[in-house]
Amino acid sequence: MEERTIFHRIRDKEIPADILFEDDEVLAFRDIHPKAQTHLLFIPKHFVASIADITPETVHIPGMLILKAQEFAREKGISGYRLTFHVGKEGGQEVMYLHLHFLSDQKIAS
Ligand code: 5GP
């Protein structure tokens, strides 16, 4: 059985998070320790632990996260941002559930 992480629990609404986007495939919520004015985490609903585990069969998943982040930014009036995947413990990945960091010095337009 796969090990459940804190992001499994956020995905399954077992613990709260400040969710700003959700559809059938992706969930995006604010990072609890933001490192920029706007700092979100985009996760796929289908569990993958890390970019290190991506295969030709699952390569669409990181692409999908990027696409949702791009759509989110456009919709919220954010014109500049940084997208980061931390890969593996030595790469700074603390939570072993694939997530795309979305950081911007711009605020989300309300
Ligand atoms: P990593 O270092 O694994 O790439 O990033 C994990 C991120 O998840 C960190 O930036 C950390 O602040 C964030 N994080 C850890 N636990 C929680 C939590 O319970 N809720 C939220 N919203 N973010 C979390």
Side-chain angles (χ1 to χ4, degrees), residues 6-7 10 15-18 29-35 39 41 85-86 92-96 99 101:
I6 196 90
F7 291 175
I10 289 174
I15 59 168
D18 190 357
F29 52 91
R30 285 192 193 273
D31 194 295
I32 205 164
H33 298 303
K35 288 158 197 79
H39 186 175
L41 302 168
F85 290 108
H86 295 156
Q93 184 177 2
E94 288 171 13
V95 180
M96 288 300 152
H99 52 280
H101 288 266

Side-chain angles (χ1 to χ4, degrees), residues 4-48:
R4 293 185 89 244
T5 68
I6 196 90
F7 291 175
H8 284 85
R9 301 188 65 202
I10 289 174
R11 179 196 67 185
D12 296 343
K13 312 288 164 61
E14 294 169 9
I15 59 168
D18 190 357
I19 294 171
L20 297 188
F21 174 82
E22 179 168 17
D23 66 12
D24 289 345
E25 295 172 317
V26 172
L27 187 69
F29 52 91
R30 285 192 193 273
D31 194 295
I32 205 164
H33 298 303
K35 288 158 197 79
Q37 176 76 249
T38 297
H39 186 175
L40 306 186
L41 302 168
F42 284 76
I43 67 167
K45 294 231 171 136
H46 176 81
F47 174 72
V48 180

Side-chain angles (χ1 to χ4, degrees), residues 83-103:
L83 300 178
T84 308
F85 290 108
H86 295 156
V87 185
K89 286 200 172 26
E90 291 74 20
Q93 184 177 2
E94 288 171 13
V95 180
M96 288 300 152
Y97 189 123
L98 181 68
H99 52 280
L100 176 66
H101 288 266
F102 176 105
L103 299 116

